[in-house]
Amino acid sequence: WKLPARKSAESAMIVGRIGLEGNQPLAMNCVTVQQWGKVYFHAGNVPRGEEEFLIDNSYFVIPNIKPGQYWFAGFYADGSYNQLPANEKDFINLKPGEIRFVGSFDYVPGDLSGLRKAFGVPGSFGLKRAQKPTELEMMRWLLRAGKGSGWEPAIKQRIAALGGAKN
Protein backbone atom coordinates (compact mmCIF):
# COMPACT_ATOMS: atom_id res chain seq x y z
CA TRP A 1 0.00 0.00 0.00
CA LYS A 2 1.14 3.53 -0.81
CA LEU A 3 -0.05 6.65 0.95
CA PRO A 4 -1.97 8.86 -1.51
CA ALA A 5 -0.36 12.14 -2.55
CA ARG A 6 -0.94 15.07 -0.26
CA LYS A 7 -3.49 17.41 -1.85
CA SER A 8 -2.44 20.61 -0.06
CA ALA A 9 -0.37 21.94 2.84
CA GLU A 10 -3.65 22.34 4.76
CA SER A 11 -4.53 18.63 4.41
CA ALA A 12 -4.66 16.71 7.68
CA MET A 13 -4.61 12.99 8.42
CA ILE A 14 -5.89 10.56 11.06
CA VAL A 15 -4.14 7.22 11.65
CA GLY A 16 -4.67 4.37 14.09
CA ARG A 17 -5.01 0.62 14.56
CA ILE A 18 -7.85 -1.71 15.54
CA GLY A 19 -6.71 -5.32 15.66
CA LEU A 20 -6.87 -8.41 17.78
CA GLU A 21 -4.85 -9.06 20.93
CA GLY A 22 -1.22 -9.91 20.38
CA ASN A 23 -1.04 -7.45 17.46
CA GLN A 24 -2.96 -9.92 15.28
CA PRO A 25 -4.86 -8.50 12.28
CA LEU A 26 -8.62 -8.00 12.30
CA ALA A 27 -10.59 -8.11 9.05
CA MET A 28 -12.46 -4.81 8.84
CA ASN A 29 -14.71 -3.51 6.09
CA CYS A 30 -14.68 0.14 7.13
CA VAL A 31 -13.68 2.67 9.74
CA THR A 32 -16.08 5.60 9.99
CA VAL A 33 -14.65 8.99 10.90
CA GLN A 34 -17.02 11.88 10.29
CA GLN A 35 -16.59 15.62 10.34
CA TRP A 36 -18.92 17.09 12.95
CA GLY A 37 -21.90 18.77 11.28
CA LYS A 38 -21.24 17.34 7.81
CA VAL A 39 -23.93 15.20 6.17
CA TYR A 40 -22.71 12.04 4.38
CA PHE A 41 -24.96 10.62 1.66
CA HIS A 42 -24.62 6.93 0.78
CA ALA A 43 -26.53 3.79 0.00
CA GLY A 44 -26.57 0.89 2.43
CA ASN A 45 -27.00 0.38 6.14
CA VAL A 46 -23.43 1.14 7.29
CA PRO A 47 -22.72 4.81 7.99
CA ARG A 48 -20.08 6.47 5.84
CA GLY A 49 -17.49 9.04 6.65
CA GLU A 50 -14.27 10.38 5.22
CA GLU A 51 -12.40 8.15 2.75
CA GLU A 52 -10.39 5.61 4.70
CA PHE A 53 -7.71 3.10 3.81
CA LEU A 54 -7.67 -0.19 5.72
CA ILE A 55 -4.33 -1.95 5.72
CA ASP A 56 -3.76 -5.72 6.18
CA ASN A 57 -1.91 -5.09 9.46
CA SER A 58 -5.12 -3.55 10.95
CA TYR A 59 -3.89 0.03 10.54
CA PHE A 60 -6.28 2.60 9.17
CA VAL A 61 -5.32 5.85 7.45
CA ILE A 62 -7.62 8.75 6.63
CA PRO A 63 -5.55 11.23 4.62
CA ASN A 64 -6.35 14.52 2.89
CA ILE A 65 -9.09 15.69 5.21
CA LYS A 66 -9.84 19.31 5.96
CA PRO A 67 -8.89 20.81 9.31
CA GLY A 68 -11.84 20.76 11.70
CA GLN A 69 -13.68 18.74 14.29
CA TYR A 70 -14.12 14.99 13.70
CA TRP A 71 -15.43 12.03 15.63
CA PHE A 72 -14.82 8.32 15.36
CA ALA A 73 -18.33 7.03 14.62
CA GLY A 74 -17.59 3.29 14.42
CA PHE A 75 -16.20 0.44 12.37
CA TYR A 76 -17.37 -2.73 10.63
CA ALA A 77 -15.70 -5.89 11.93
CA ASP A 78 -16.61 -9.38 13.08
CA GLY A 79 -19.72 -9.41 10.89
CA SER A 80 -21.40 -6.29 12.25
CA TYR A 81 -21.13 -2.53 12.43
CA ASN A 82 -19.81 -1.45 15.81
CA GLN A 83 -21.09 2.04 16.54
CA LEU A 84 -19.35 4.35 18.95
CA PRO A 85 -21.29 7.04 20.83
CA ALA A 86 -20.87 10.68 19.84
CA ASN A 87 -19.26 12.20 22.89
CA GLU A 88 -18.06 15.79 22.80
CA LYS A 89 -15.01 14.99 24.93
CA ASP A 90 -13.87 12.50 22.28
CA PHE A 91 -13.88 14.95 19.37
CA ILE A 92 -10.71 15.05 17.30
CA ASN A 93 -9.80 18.68 16.59
CA LEU A 94 -7.47 18.70 13.58
CA LYS A 95 -5.27 21.67 12.76
CA PRO A 96 -4.09 22.45 9.21
CA GLY A 97 -1.40 19.95 8.17
CA GLU A 98 -1.72 17.88 11.36
CA ILE A 99 -1.24 14.12 11.47
CA ARG A 100 -3.16 12.69 14.42
CA PHE A 101 -2.56 9.22 15.85
CA VAL A 102 -5.81 8.23 17.57
CA GLY A 103 -4.36 5.11 19.18
CA SER A 104 -3.85 1.38 18.98
CA PHE A 105 -6.76 -0.73 20.13
CA ASP A 106 -7.54 -4.41 20.54
CA TYR A 107 -11.03 -5.45 19.46
CA VAL A 108 -12.81 -7.64 21.99
CA PRO A 109 -15.86 -9.31 20.40
CA GLY A 110 -18.98 -9.81 22.48
CA ASP A 111 -21.54 -12.58 22.36
CA LEU A 112 -24.33 -12.18 19.86
CA SER A 113 -27.34 -14.45 19.64
CA GLY A 114 -28.02 -16.14 16.29
CA LEU A 115 -31.36 -14.34 15.98
CA ARG A 116 -29.84 -10.89 16.52
CA LYS A 117 -27.06 -11.68 14.04
CA ALA A 118 -29.61 -12.90 11.44
CA PHE A 119 -31.44 -9.57 11.65
CA GLY A 120 -28.22 -7.59 11.48
CA VAL A 121 -28.55 -6.12 14.97
CA PRO A 122 -25.15 -4.84 16.11
CA GLY A 123 -23.54 -6.96 18.78
CA SER A 124 -21.61 -6.15 21.87
CA PHE A 125 -17.91 -5.40 21.59
CA GLY A 126 -15.14 -3.70 23.44
CA LEU A 127 -12.03 -1.75 22.54
CA LYS A 128 -9.08 -1.75 24.86
CA ARG A 129 -5.86 0.20 24.51
CA ALA A 130 -3.00 -1.82 23.03
CA GLN A 131 0.71 -1.31 23.65
CA LYS A 132 1.67 -1.78 20.01
CA PRO A 133 2.12 -0.12 17.67
CA THR A 134 3.18 3.02 19.42
CA GLU A 135 2.69 6.36 17.71
CA LEU A 136 6.39 6.47 16.84
CA GLU A 137 6.24 2.97 15.26
CA MET A 138 3.20 3.96 13.25
CA MET A 139 4.82 7.20 12.06
CA ARG A 140 7.91 5.29 10.92
CA TRP A 141 5.68 2.87 9.00
CA LEU A 142 3.77 5.81 7.51
CA LEU A 143 7.03 7.43 6.39
CA ARG A 144 7.94 4.28 4.44
CA ALA A 145 4.42 4.03 2.96
CA GLY A 146 4.42 7.73 2.13
CA LYS A 147 7.65 7.92 0.16
CA GLY A 148 7.12 10.36 -2.71
CA SER A 149 3.64 11.38 -1.50
CA GLY A 150 4.46 14.87 -0.25
CA TRP A 151 3.55 13.89 3.32
CA GLU A 152 7.19 13.22 4.29
CA PRO A 153 7.96 16.62 5.91
CA ALA A 154 4.90 16.45 8.17
CA ILE A 155 5.60 12.83 9.11
CA LYS A 156 9.28 13.59 9.84
CA GLN A 157 8.26 16.57 11.95
CA ARG A 158 5.95 14.34 14.02
CA ILE A 159 8.67 11.68 14.38
CA ALA A 160 11.09 14.35 15.63
CA ALA A 161 8.47 15.67 18.11
CA LEU A 162 8.13 12.13 19.46
CA GLY A 163 11.90 11.91 20.01
CA GLY A 164 12.68 9.78 16.97
CA ALA A 165 15.41 10.41 14.44
CA LYS A 166 14.65 12.84 11.61
CA ASN A 167 16.13 10.70 8.83
Side-chain angles (χ1 to χ4, degrees):
W1 178 79
K2 292 236 2 124
L3 181 61
R6 189 172 193 175
K7 291 182 180 175
S8 79
E10 298 281 306
S11 293
M13 182 183 337
I14 294 173
V15 298
R17 175 201 163 268
I18 300 175
L20 296 172
E21 285 191 79
N23 212 14
Q24 296 299 311
L26 171 67
M28 290 191 295
N29 294 50
C30 74
V31 168
T32 308
V33 171
Q34 297 178 335
Q35 187 171 21
W36 189 252
K38 181 177 176 181
V39 176
Y40 295 85
F41 294 100
H42 69 283
N45 59 359
V46 174
R48 286 288 166 228
E50 299 298 315
E51 181 182 18
E52 85 278 21
F53 294 90
L54 306 174
I55 318 304
D56 291 343
N57 57 7
S58 296
Y59 292 1
F60 59 88
V61 180
I62 304 164
N64 290 312
I65 53 180
K66 295 177 183 175
Q69 198 171 52
Y70 292 83
W71 67 292
F72 188 28
F75 59 98
Y76 191 94
D78 200 29
S80 63
Y81 185 74
N82 301 280
Q83 187 169 347
L84 299 168
N87 189 337
E88 202 170 307
K89 71 178 182 66
D90 295 328
F91 283 160
I92 303 163
N93 293 304
L94 286 177
K95 298 175 186 149
E98 182 179 7
I99 299 174
R100 177 73 63 88
F101 175 68
V102 293
S104 292
F105 299 94
D106 288 336
Y107 173 75
V108 181
D111 291 331
L112 189 63
S113 74
L115 183 60
R116 288 183 64 193
K117 192 175 263 189
F119 284 106
V121 176
S124 60
F125 73 98
L127 288 178
K128 68 177 190 174
R129 287 260 178 212
Q131 297 293 321
K132 298 283 183 171
T134 63
E135 182 177 2
L136 183 56
E137 290 168 335
M138 187 157 232
M139 290 300 130
R140 287 178 173 153
W141 168 83
L142 197 57
L143 185 60
R144 290 188 304 274
K147 189 174 181 179
S149 68
W151 286 99
E152 297 95 317
I155 297 168
K156 287 179 180 180
Q157 182 180 9
R158 188 66 194 138
I159 288 171
L162 293 168
K166 289 185 181 181
N167 55 10

